[in-house]
């Protein structure tokens, strides 16, 4: 093989290896960009979900407070009505106390239900926050694994490019050496 042809073959092999290495670097950069974008989106989703769940919990608390206030006012109104009726009807102390106890019992049950509903709504919000956090962790793990895989593929592509170049260089050198040995053998035969 002529020296010019050997140099041209090495240049082509080097250019091919350089192209493969650049493509591997570009793929690695793109994977990093995708990882970062996925993480930003996952974080934004987490923050939005937590903000909404906090808002819902705050609304549930405000609603519970309003319902408790309404129920207490209604119980006070009922208490006033019981006093007026007991006074007008001349109810005995036992009857009056029984009516008061029944009113307090009904108010207590209603207030307990309101509180239980609030506690359930709050617990649902906390469960939603945990689920949102788990979704974020899953997205982060998936993005991290994809990035690691892309980096490993890029590294392997670079190694393969180096091996391909070395193999081409060895073939060119072997061809040059083999060609030179064949010419020397021909010259030796010509001399005899």
């Amino acid at each position: 093989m002529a020296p010019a042809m050997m140099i041209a073959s090495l240049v082509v092999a080097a250019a091919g290896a350089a192209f493969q290495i650049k493509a591997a670097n570009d793929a690695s950069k793109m994977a990093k960009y995708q990882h970062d974008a996925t993480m930003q989106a996952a974080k934004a989703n987490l923050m939005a979900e937590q903000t909404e769940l906090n808002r819902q919990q705050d609304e549930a608390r405000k609603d519970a407070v309003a319902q408790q206030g309404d129920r207490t006012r209604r119980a006070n109104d009922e208490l006033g009505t019981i006093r007026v009726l007991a006074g007008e009807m001349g109810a005995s102390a036992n009857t009056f106390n029984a009516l008061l106890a029944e009113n307090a019992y009904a108010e207590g049950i209603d207030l307990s239900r309101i509180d239980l509903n609030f506690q359930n709504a709050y617990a649902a919000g906390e469960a939603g926050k945990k689920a949102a956090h788990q979704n974020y962790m899953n997205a982060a793990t998936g993005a991290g694994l994809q990035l690691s895989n892309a980096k490993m593929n890029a590294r392997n592509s670079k190694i393969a490019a180096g091996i391909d170049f070395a193999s081409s260089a060895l073939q060119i050198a072997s061809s040059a050496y083999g060609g030179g040995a064949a010419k020397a053998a021909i010259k030796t035969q010509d001399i005899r």
Side-chain angles (χ1 to χ4, degrees):
M1 182 180 279
M5 188 64 137
M6 289 184 343
I7 291 172
S9 295
L10 282 173
V11 168
V12 169
F19 179 77
Q20 286 178 321
I21 290 171
K22 182 178 180 336
N25 285 337
D26 289 347
S28 184
K29 286 177 186 175
M30 181 55 79
K32 176 69 172 132
Y33 173 77
Q34 288 174 334
H35 171 267
D36 293 346
T38 298
M39 291 304 299
Q40 285 179 338
K43 188 171 186 175
N45 286 341
L46 174 64
M47 299 307 289
E49 286 181 56
Q50 288 184 339
T51 298
E52 176 57 19
L53 291 167
N54 285 335
R55 186 198 66 74
Q56 289 175 5
Q57 285 177 321
D58 191 49
E59 279 297 316
R61 183 190 55 75
K62 288 177 183 176
D63 190 44
V65 168
Q67 287 179 14
Q68 287 172 338
D70 291 346
R71 182 59 184 107
T72 300
R73 278 189 291 285
R74 196 168 73 233
N76 287 336
D77 289 345
E78 291 169 358
L79 179 61
T81 302
I82 291 170
R83 285 185 177 155
V84 168
L85 288 175
E88 287 178 0
M89 295 174 54
S92 69
N94 286 342
T95 303
F96 180 69
N97 287 337
L99 290 172
L100 290 179
E102 187 175 326
N103 184 42
Y105 176 76
E107 179 188 12
I109 288 176
D110 289 344
L111 291 176
S112 294
R113 286 181 185 151
I114 292 168
D115 187 56
L116 181 62
N117 288 340
F118 166 70
Q119 294 301 326
N120 289 338
Y122 188 84
E126 290 301 305
K129 289 178 190 178
K130 286 180 183 177
H133 183 71
Q134 187 59 51
N135 288 339
Y136 172 78
M137 295 304 294
N138 291 345
T141 300
L145 290 173
Q146 286 178 341
L147 180 60
S148 293
N149 189 38
K151 285 182 177 183
M152 184 175 60
N153 287 340
R155 181 181 55 98
N156 291 342
S157 292
K158 290 175 189 179
I159 291 169
I163 290 170
D164 288 346
F165 176 72
S167 175
S168 295
L170 285 174
Q171 286 176 345
I172 292 167
S174 173
S175 174
Y177 178 73
K183 287 179 186 176
I186 292 172
K187 285 184 182 180
T188 305
Q189 287 178 353
D190 289 342
I191 297 175
R192 289 188 188 161

